């Protein structure tokens, strides 16, 4: 299994090469690494670890330019970011990480109906989602095909659709801290992000010249 860089390794690399980073990219990476470090310090608190890693993901992908015109939606922003990561991932690190994780957390997340948005739409009485079981099976099959084809961007989109539901459950108060009810998906979601986020940031640092967009809330002198 490939080694996933931890906070200390990422920080050391950033300090060594940050002089060559464009300002916006340097701020984006600095913020993401800081939240990866905070997630590591959370230990066995999987709820906290998941949330801190999601903040790291936000710091890495969110592009202010995408919100200056008509809102494109988060899925479109995810797609842009994943496409950029895949384009810069010459060694196939993300795909290998997913392949090595697939027998465990990734497979379990994709098989878990409690992080499938149409399931909750149906539970909340919204019309048009009674067929959620068929959609669930179709999504699982499409994911498997994308995975077998080595389509990293589509695989990440499927996976983060599920993780985004989990993020919403936590951020919008739809879950209890350390609840036994949702332990499996929180634990697996945190494990997936703990594997992918350091690799995403490492790839970004290897390609500082790529257009990673403008981060939200730039540093402003007082």
């Amino acid at each position: 299994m490939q080694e996933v860089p931890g906070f200390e390794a990422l920080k050391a690399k950033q300090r060594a090469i940050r002089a060559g980073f464009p300002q916006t990219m340097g701020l984006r990476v600095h913020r993401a690494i800081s939240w990866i470090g905070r997630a590591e310090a959370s230990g066995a608190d999987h709820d906290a670890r998941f949330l801190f890693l999601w903040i790291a993901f936000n710091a890495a992908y969110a592009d202010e330019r995408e919100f200056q015109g008509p809102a494109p939606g988060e899925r479109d922003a995810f797609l842009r970011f994943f496409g950029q990561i895949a384009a810069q991932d010459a060694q196939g690190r993300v795909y290998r990480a997913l392949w090595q994780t697939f027998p465990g957390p990734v497979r379990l997340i994709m098989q878990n109906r409690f992080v499938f948005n149409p399931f909750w739409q149906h539970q909340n009485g919204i019309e048009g989602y009674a067929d959620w079981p068929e959609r669930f099976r179709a999504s699982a099959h499409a994911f498997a095909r994308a995975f077998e084809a080595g389509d990293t961007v589509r695989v990440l989109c499927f996976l983060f659709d599920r993780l985004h539901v989990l993020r919403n459950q936590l951020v919008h108060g739809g879950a209890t801290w350390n609840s036994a009810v949702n332990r499996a998906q929180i634990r697996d979601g945190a494990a997936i992000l703990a594997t992918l986020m350091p690799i995403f940031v490492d790839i970004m640092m290897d390609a500082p010249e790529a257009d990673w967009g403008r981060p939200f809330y730039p540093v402003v002198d007082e």
Side-chain angles (χ1 to χ4, degrees):
M1 181 176 291
Q2 66 178 315
E3 182 178 351
V4 176
F7 167 74
E8 292 296 339
L10 290 171
K11 194 65 184 173
K13 180 173 180 174
Q14 182 225 9
R15 288 185 179 128
I17 63 177
R18 63 188 174 188
F21 291 169
Q23 182 179 5
T24 55
M25 187 271 184
L27 178 61
R28 184 183 293 281
V29 165
H30 172 71
R31 288 172 171 172
I33 291 174
S34 75
W35 289 108
I36 290 171
R38 184 60 185 87
E40 286 186 7
S42 299
D45 187 341
H46 300 304
D47 298 272
R49 197 156 65 106
F50 180 90
L51 288 172
F52 289 135
L53 287 164
W54 193 273
I55 297 172
F57 176 56
N58 265 26
Y61 92 84
D63 187 347
E64 179 187 335
R65 296 172 304 184
E66 294 182 339
F67 295 87
Q68 292 177 350
E74 281 192 287
R75 198 176 192 284
D76 289 338
F78 289 0
L79 183 62
R80 177 199 57 78
F81 177 72
F82 296 147
Q84 186 77 289
I85 286 289
Q88 302 299 333
D89 185 16
Q91 298 178 345
R93 297 175 65 193
V94 173
Y95 182 78
R96 284 188 287 115
L98 289 167
W99 175 260
Q100 291 162 355
T101 309
F102 185 70
V106 173
R107 176 175 55 82
L108 292 173
I109 281 284
M110 294 304 298
Q111 292 176 349
N112 191 326
R113 69 184 185 278
F114 295 112
V115 288
F116 185 58
N117 189 57
F119 168 79
W120 289 112
Q121 299 285 62
H122 177 65
Q123 296 299 313
N124 290 328
I126 299 175
E127 293 185 6
Y129 291 92
D131 64 343
W132 76 262
E134 290 79 13
R135 297 189 190 200
F136 188 58
R137 287 191 291 271
S139 176
H141 291 153
F143 172 81
R145 288 195 299 271
F147 197 84
E148 291 167 3
D151 190 338
T152 301
V153 174
R154 289 195 70 215
V155 167
L156 288 171
C157 284
F158 277 116
L159 180 57
F160 275 76
D161 275 347
R162 300 291 208 276
L163 295 178
H164 192 257
V165 174
L166 189 54
R167 172 262 187 203
N168 287 345
Q169 289 175 353
L170 290 172
V171 171
H172 297 296
T176 303
W177 173 77
N178 205 30
S179 170
V181 174
N182 65 345
R183 275 309 81 196
Q185 53 263 44
I186 292 290
R187 182 195 63 236
D188 294 339
I192 291 165
L193 288 178
T195 297
L196 292 177
M197 276 312 307
I199 295 174
F200 288 169
V201 172
D202 205 21
I203 289 171
M204 292 171 73
M205 287 196 288
D206 285 340
E209 75 288 346
D211 182 7
W212 298 106
R214 290 206 305 263
F216 283 116
Y217 305 107
V219 175
V220 178
D221 293 332
E222 294 184 2

